Amino acid sequence: MATYDLTKLGKNAKETARILRTLPSHAKNEALQAMADTLRNHEATILAANEKDVQNGKDNGLTNALIARLTLTAEKIEGMAQGIEKIIKLPDPLSQVADEWVNEDGLRITKRIIPLGVIGMIYESRPNVTSDASALCLKSGNAVILRGGSEAIHSNQAILNALQEGLAQTKVPKEAIQLIEDTSREVASEFMTMDDYLDCLIPRGGAGLIKAVSRQATVPVIETGVGNCHLYIHKAADLSKAHDIVMNAKLSYPSACNAVETLLVDRSIAADLLPRLEKELMQEGVVIKAVGSAKKHLTQSQEGNEEDLHQEYLDLELAVKLVDDYQEAVDHIEQYSTGHSDGIVTQDYSVAQDFMNDINSATVYVNASTRFTDGEVFGFGGEIGISTQKLHARGPMGLEALTSYKYTIQGDGHTR
């Protein structure tokens, strides 16, 4: 049994959530601005803490992809502060009335937007999630309890201290944002069963973490996405566009969950496209897994297999497979995709429309890189994760995804 006092964190969060759900927008925005300011003021402290985590990660053999996710810079800290300021400018979701009507009995029924309550976050590697999640939860009226990975503990502590220092200058209790500082599995397991305190649990990380949370949690879970993302180059593609999109989708940030992991190419255009792609991708250090007949056009690449088609590499690796036609490509994506981000490159309008209808992923692209799946890019000010579920929230999760609703009914002595 874990000895870390999670109950205290839970009680603090529950009490704070009652305050946050009725707090006026200007008070929340003032708190967010204070958080952004103290992040900037604590830049040196945060970077020093992050340096410890990065060195420990290297000593413990973390992959280059995980080190990239873990590493902070002055520019990234400024980006975190600016991300909070973008959230300030967004409308307060709690100020909106979703719907209102008078029924046949003369009752005024109003559907009102409300916070979820207390949100638990379990995440890996990326310390910027500490800032992003805190800001999104506060703006939407939720208290949050954060549990980052051991690899980022010093960074997360430094960021939390800065954010709480900012809150101390405002009307928002610092307990609106809390961090579990014990990163043991025992404490994580206990956290997943805090039904009395948590209203929702959001895991953000690799496939192993998300599966573990989904299996162990007794708290409602919103699964954020493992990204086995596909890009299909159709026979009617503009090959120049296809080239640029592939290079961006694989190389711009290989450790991101929206980076392309499997490339599907119509057999009829493979000879015109793949040799050039192979040369340039390999020059950038990409390990290409040529599955089946793709090896004919990727002579310098490794020979791939069925297992490669299931992988979320999060690194400079790419599976490539040839397909005979559109239907085979769609069938492949249906079978192998994790439902995160999948795209097509084609100049055929009809095929593009079919693809958007046929593919049931959270985000579906036509003639664009999968790398755009991002809450900030979508105009949400940031994201707490990218959901691949179909219940409640899907795709990049911004403020709206952190709310629910209730009905208020006003009468005048009505009885039934």
Side-chain angles (χ1 to χ4, degrees), residues 286-330:
V286 177
V287 176
I288 299 174
K289 312 290 183 67
V291 179
S293 56
K295 182 65 175 169
K296 175 182 177 182
H297 304 287
L298 298 166
T299 57
Q300 304 302 310
S301 300
Q302 293 184 9
E303 189 164 339
N305 54 41
E306 168 71 15
E307 184 178 348
D308 294 316
L309 298 173
H310 292 273
Q311 299 304 311
E312 181 191 32
Y313 293 111
L314 301 175
D315 209 341
L316 290 172
E317 297 181 73
L318 178 68
V320 181
K321 181 184 177 183
L322 303 187
V323 293
D324 289 330
D325 53 25
Y326 170 84
Q327 191 58 53
E328 185 180 351
V330 169

Side-chain angles (χ1 to χ4, degrees), residues 49-189:
N50 182 248
E51 191 174 332
K52 291 182 184 178
D53 289 330
V54 171
Q55 188 57 55
N56 288 340
K58 290 177 179 177
D59 293 342
N60 292 325
L62 286 186
T63 65
N64 291 335
L66 290 178
I67 292 294
R69 289 185 168 200
L70 178 60
T71 303
L72 292 176
T73 62
E75 291 74 20
K76 286 185 178 180
I77 293 174
E78 175 60 26
M80 289 158 58
Q82 289 182 11
I84 294 175
E85 289 170 339
K86 288 179 181 178
I87 291 171
I88 292 172
K89 296 175 182 177
L90 295 175
D92 185 343
L94 306 186
S95 65
Q96 304 171 39
V97 172
D99 202 359
E100 189 171 41
W101 67 95
V102 177
N103 75 350
E104 61 183 13
D105 298 308
L107 293 169
R108 180 170 296 280
I109 302 172
T110 305
K111 185 178 181 181
R112 296 188 176 184
I113 305 300
I114 61 169
L116 293 177
V118 178
I119 294 175
M121 280 285 298
I122 298 181
Y123 55 104
E124 297 172 324
S125 301
R126 290 179 176 166
N128 63 292
V129 173
T130 303
S131 171
D132 295 346
S134 297
L136 286 165
C137 287
L138 196 156
K139 177 80 174 194
S140 55
N142 296 285
V144 64
I145 301 175
L146 304 161
R147 192 275 187 186
S150 58
E151 71 283 349
I153 184 61
H154 298 100
S155 306
N156 290 335
Q157 287 171 329
I159 293 168
L160 179 89
N161 289 340
L163 297 176
Q164 287 191 331
E165 182 179 306
L167 291 182
Q169 305 167 22
T170 74
K171 297 179 180 178
V172 175
K174 68 177 184 178
E175 290 80 12
I177 308 164
Q178 298 179 95
L179 176 71
I180 298 173
E181 297 187 346
D182 184 328
T183 59
S184 67
R185 290 186 178 181
E186 292 78 13
V187 168
S189 296

Side-chain angles (χ1 to χ4, degrees), residues 178-230:
Q178 298 179 95
L179 176 71
I180 298 173
E181 297 187 346
D182 184 328
T183 59
S184 67
R185 290 186 178 181
E186 292 78 13
V187 168
S189 296
E190 184 181 343
F191 185 45
M192 297 179 207
T193 59
M194 290 179 64
D195 304 69
D196 291 339
Y197 302 106
L198 295 180
D199 295 290
C200 175
L201 189 60
I202 304 174
R204 181 170 173 176
L209 170 70
I210 293 169
K211 286 181 180 178
V213 173
S214 299
R215 290 171 181 169
Q216 296 182 47
T218 56
V219 177
V221 174
I222 300 177
E223 290 187 28
T224 61
V226 174
N228 183 6
C229 304
H230 294 73

Side-chain angles (χ1 to χ4, degrees), residues 346-356:
T346 183
Q347 295 300 109
D348 187 318
Y349 176 83
S350 178
V351 168
Q353 297 303 308
D354 286 344
F355 190 82
M356 287 189 286

Side-chain angles (χ1 to χ4, degrees), residues 324-344:
D324 289 330
D325 53 25
Y326 170 84
Q327 191 58 53
E328 185 180 351
V330 169
D331 290 345
H332 178 99
I333 294 171
E334 179 74 21
Q335 179 177 351
Y336 293 92
S337 172
T338 53
H340 191 293
S341 303
D342 296 296
I344 187 173

